[in-house]
Amino acid sequence: MQNSEELKWALLIASLAMLTMAFCMISFVMYYQKRRFEEEKKINDIEKNYNRLLLDTALNSEETERRRIAQDLHDDIGTMLSLTKLSLNQLNKLVSKIGDDKQDLIMKKSQSLVEETILHVRRITRDLVPTTLERFGLMEAIEEFINKLEEDNNLVISFHSNTEEFPRQGQKLELTLYRIMQELVNNAIKHASCSKIDISLEVDDQFIGLRVTDNGVGFDPEKIKENNLAGLGLLGIESRLSIVNGTMQYERPSSGGSSAFAQIPVMPIPENKPEPLHPFRRERVNI
Amino acid sequence: MSEIYIAFIVRKPIPSIAVFITLLPLILLVVRKAYLDPSFKLLLFYLFAKLVIDLIMLHSASLHRNNLIFYNLSIPLFYALLSGMFYYKINSQSYKRLLTFTMVGFAAFTIWDIFHSNSELNDMHNHRAVLYSMTVQGVLIIAIILLYFYEIIKSLQIPNLLTFPFFWVCSGLLLYFSSLIFIAPVLHYTATWNNSIDLGIIRTIPFIFEILCAVLFSVGIYYFPLKDYAKQ
């Protein structure tokens, strides 16, 4: 009888110990799995931030390089061209005294070529560094961009915004929006065979939206996503947006053509706002 | 006839609840269409087989007949169904191969154990519970569950275990077999007609955890993503 009691106690203790172990095992698996997920998430976040930083640095370097080229063009080639123009003017006076028509014609042609080159250099410098954007803001920069495009192409480009006075945003955000707009419009001109482009800018307390719509041949956004057909331009847009936590949506309007909508959260403007960038000042850009 | 069953149920409420509680996960499994998953299909077969065998055993017990032959025969069948569930869940091919070997090996071992535990197989009245098989089954199932947990932790594919149906199934089985592993071999000596040792409350521990196991199965099946499988 005593043996029976001992057996019962032994069984009870052994079973309870086994059950405790089972409970501990289940709890451990739950806890450990949760902890590993948290660690994995942390590592992913660090990787993501690191990639973002890399991308940011790359884009900053690109802007710095653009600025350096613009500066060199203006300071070196621009100055030399101006001096060439002055020299040609002096030479022109000498040639006109001789009164040789043929020499006079060659002189006029040379002067005209130099003037044209000076204009080209100015245009390239402005394209490289959007000074209007930095001095006057996004709306003015877009308007200037549209004016230039309409001069060179047989295109109708319209621009409208939901506000009269578009509030100034951080330098990085404005530049991102401007570059995206540039890329989308250039894409529409290059690939969509369109005759009309519509740019709209919407701003509220939380988001800034930029929509570029064209009436061209259009494309299937799903196919591009599925087949990884996005070219460097679209990838560049995605990269720029990822730095400012923005999103991109491509749509196919029922009326035809295509529409791209970029949305970026409004970021607080830093208190020590940097001075407007000047294309002709040699400095590193920190956007 | 029904009075006999009612009398038995009243006399042994916990073992009786352990029989009928199987209906809960079984019904849930059908309602939530969890059987579309191969592992849960085997769980459905397991629960159905368990219910049928338990009802036969309840019927025999009510009539004071020895029902241990059903208990003994159910062991390899239940092991095959339960390990089959893990066969579909475990990713490692070597573990899968190992599972297949244990299914065949364990069936052979149980047959040997039935013969070893019962010198007179024709004598159904004095038929005894197997000595080792239930414990071996418990050890094997616990080992498989631990292997599966190891794979889950290693692969990090399940973000939230609490909403993962099979985790609840594993937890139920782990608790049930942990409660049974030490008691099972003793049943060989105590579950006899001329038994002088009464295990008392200890005998009910496995039944309590059998009920808990069925409840945990039900929780797991409740979390089954019906919307994803209903399309199939």
Side-chain angles (χ1 to χ4, degrees):
Chain A
M1 196 63 192
Q2 199 190 342
N3 282 345
S4 158
E5 281 301 308
E6 279 174 8
L7 177 71
K8 275 185 203 174
W9 277 107
L11 276 177
L12 187 69
I13 290 164
S15 299
L16 287 177
M18 195 66 202
L19 281 166
T20 312
M21 273 173 67
F23 272 117
C24 288
M25 181 52 68
I26 294 166
S27 311
F28 170 76
V29 170
M30 281 160 69
Y31 168 76
Y32 191 72
Q33 170 88 348
K34 200 181 164 192
R35 223 185 77 180
R36 277 205 62 188
F37 254 99
E38 279 168 2
E39 277 170 10
E40 197 76 7
K41 202 175 163 255
K42 268 184 201 165
I43 292 168
N44 279 343
D45 286 347
I46 291 167
E47 250 176 48
K48 213 173 148 185
N49 281 339
Y50 179 71
N51 286 337
R52 214 165 111 166
L53 203 70
L54 271 182
L55 205 64
D56 201 11
T57 312
L59 289 174
N60 279 348
S61 307
E62 190 189 311
E63 289 300 328
T64 312
E65 194 57 20
R66 279 167 176 264
R67 199 166 294 261
R68 193 189 62 75
I69 295 168
Q71 196 173 335
D72 284 352
L73 274 175
H74 180 267
D75 291 358
D76 300 345
I77 298 173
T79 313
M80 284 171 84
L81 282 170
S82 299
L83 287 173
T84 313
K85 192 184 164 187
L86 278 173
S87 303
L88 280 174
N89 284 345
Q90 284 173 350
L91 193 64
N92 186 35
K93 280 176 192 167
L94 292 173
V95 169
S96 56
K97 274 182 191 168
I98 298 166
D100 187 340
D101 285 350
K102 201 178 173 188
Q103 281 181 349
D104 203 38
L105 195 72
I106 293 168
M107 186 51 63
K108 289 265 182 317
K109 199 176 175 186
S110 303
Q111 279 181 311
S112 145
L113 277 171
V114 169
E115 271 171 22
E116 208 177 315
T117 311
I118 289 171
L119 284 174
H120 277 291
V121 167
R122 271 189 202 153
R123 184 184 55 78
I124 293 167
T125 310
R126 273 187 197 150
D127 282 352
L128 282 168
V129 181
T131 45
T132 312
L133 176 74
E134 286 154 6
R135 285 178 187 167
F136 306 107
L138 193 61
M139 276 176 80
E140 283 74 13
I142 294 175
E143 271 162 10
E144 189 193 61
F145 177 76
I146 290 170
N147 289 337
K148 261 192 274 173
L149 269 182
E150 279 181 327
E151 278 171 22
D152 301 340
N153 299 286
N154 192 19
L155 266 174
V156 179
I157 306 178
S158 60
F159 170 58
H160 49 89
S161 167
N162 68 340
T163 169
E164 285 283 311
E165 283 277 314
F166 191 81
R168 287 305 300 262
Q169 304 294 323
Q171 204 176 3
K172 186 195 276 186
L173 202 143
E174 283 189 341
L175 191 63
T176 302
L177 279 166
Y178 182 76
R179 292 283 183 223
I180 290 170
M181 183 276 304
Q182 248 184 340
E183 186 59 45
L184 289 171
V185 171
N186 286 338
N187 275 353
I189 295 168
K190 268 195 268 178
H191 308 295
S193 317
C194 58
S195 59
K196 197 181 162 205
I197 297 174
D198 185 54
I199 304 167
S200 70
L201 203 58
E202 293 153 20
V203 65
D204 58 33
D205 295 341
Q206 289 181 314
F207 292 101
I208 300 173
L210 170 77
R211 188 183 290 279
V212 177
T213 312
D214 66 63
N215 65 346
V217 289
F219 65 92
D220 190 352
E222 290 304 314
K223 263 190 185 169
I224 284 193
K225 266 186 201 168
E226 281 169 16
N227 304 329
N228 289 329
L229 293 174
L232 279 175
L234 293 186
L235 289 176
I237 291 174
E238 298 279 342
S239 305
R240 282 183 186 278
L241 282 171
S242 69
I243 292 170
V244 289
N245 295 324
T247 54
M248 191 77 197
Q249 274 182 315
Y250 297 101
E251 290 156 16
R252 212 173 173 178
S254 52
S255 54
S258 62
S259 172
F261 181 64
Q263 198 177 43
I264 299 174
V266 174
M267 284 190 284
I269 303 166
E271 277 179 28
N272 53 341
K273 199 179 170 187
E275 279 181 35
L277 293 169
H278 196 274
F280 320 127
R281 191 177 298 152
R282 215 175 266 274
E283 62 179 21
R284 187 176 166 74
V285 191
N286 286 313
I287 51 174
Chain B
M1 190 71 179
S2 60
E3 293 91 41
I4 302 168
Y5 298 131
I6 291 164
F8 180 83
I9 291 165
V10 170
R11 205 169 63 246
K12 299 211 181 248
I14 295 175
S16 304
I17 292 169
V19 172
F20 294 108
I21 194 84
T22 311
L23 278 167
L24 180 66
L26 199 63
I27 292 166
L28 261 174
L29 222 152
V30 175
V31 170
R32 293 193 73 82
K33 293 185 179 171
Y35 53 79
L36 290 168
D37 181 290
S39 291
F40 281 86
K41 189 181 273 179
L42 284 175
L43 182 67
L44 176 81
F45 293 149
Y46 166 76
L47 290 170
F48 185 72
K50 184 179 173 303
L51 182 70
V52 171
I53 290 170
D54 282 353
L55 285 173
I56 293 169
M57 285 176 76
L58 188 135
H59 168 75
S60 303
S62 308
L63 298 173
H64 293 279
R65 282 186 202 151
N66 189 329
N67 56 13
L68 287 171
I69 183 72
F70 302 110
Y71 169 81
N72 289 344
L73 290 175
S74 71
I75 294 170
L77 174 70
F78 288 172
Y79 178 73
L81 292 170
L82 291 176
S83 55
M85 274 171 27
F86 288 93
Y87 183 87
Y88 289 107
K89 289 287 174 192
I90 284 174
N91 293 323
S92 163
Q93 286 301 319
S94 50
Y95 291 161
K96 281 188 177 187
R97 224 172 294 132
L98 195 74
L99 267 181
T100 319
F101 284 131
T102 60
M103 276 184 224
V104 180
F106 183 71
F109 177 77
T110 312
I111 291 165
W112 170 83
D113 201 16
I114 292 172
F115 281 101
H116 170 261
S117 306
N118 296 281
S119 48
E120 285 290 325
L121 257 188
N122 293 330
D123 183 8
M124 284 296 159
H125 181 70
N126 291 309
H127 194 86
R128 296 176 80 174
V130 282
L131 182 57
Y132 307 112
S133 295
M134 197 62 187
T135 307
V136 173
Q137 186 194 16
V139 170
L140 284 172
I141 293 285
I142 290 170
I144 295 168
I145 292 169
L146 294 184
L147 268 179
Y148 181 64
F149 281 171
Y150 172 70
E151 264 202 356
I152 286 180
I153 291 174
K154 218 173 103 181
S155 65
L156 275 186
Q157 284 174 340
I158 301 146
N160 186 5
L161 282 177
L162 291 175
T163 54
F164 180 60
F166 204 66
F167 177 74
W168 290 96
V169 174
C170 290
S171 302
L173 287 173
L174 189 63
L175 289 173
Y176 172 59
F177 282 103
S178 297
S179 72
L180 196 68
I181 206 160
F182 289 110
I183 296 167
V186 182
L187 294 178
H188 172 75
Y189 302 103
T190 56
T192 56
W193 283 117
N194 305 314
N195 173 32
S196 58
I197 308 165
D198 179 27
L199 288 176
I201 187 82
I202 291 163
R203 184 64 193 94
T204 59
I205 290 176
F207 291 120
I208 293 167
F209 280 91
E210 202 177 330
I211 295 166
L212 183 69
C213 178
V215 172
L216 293 179
F217 281 2
S218 309
V219 174
I221 295 161
Y222 177 78
Y223 281 121
F224 197 83
L226 184 71
K227 61 178 171 32
D228 295 341
Y229 284 85
K231 293 173 200 161
Q232 291 180 11

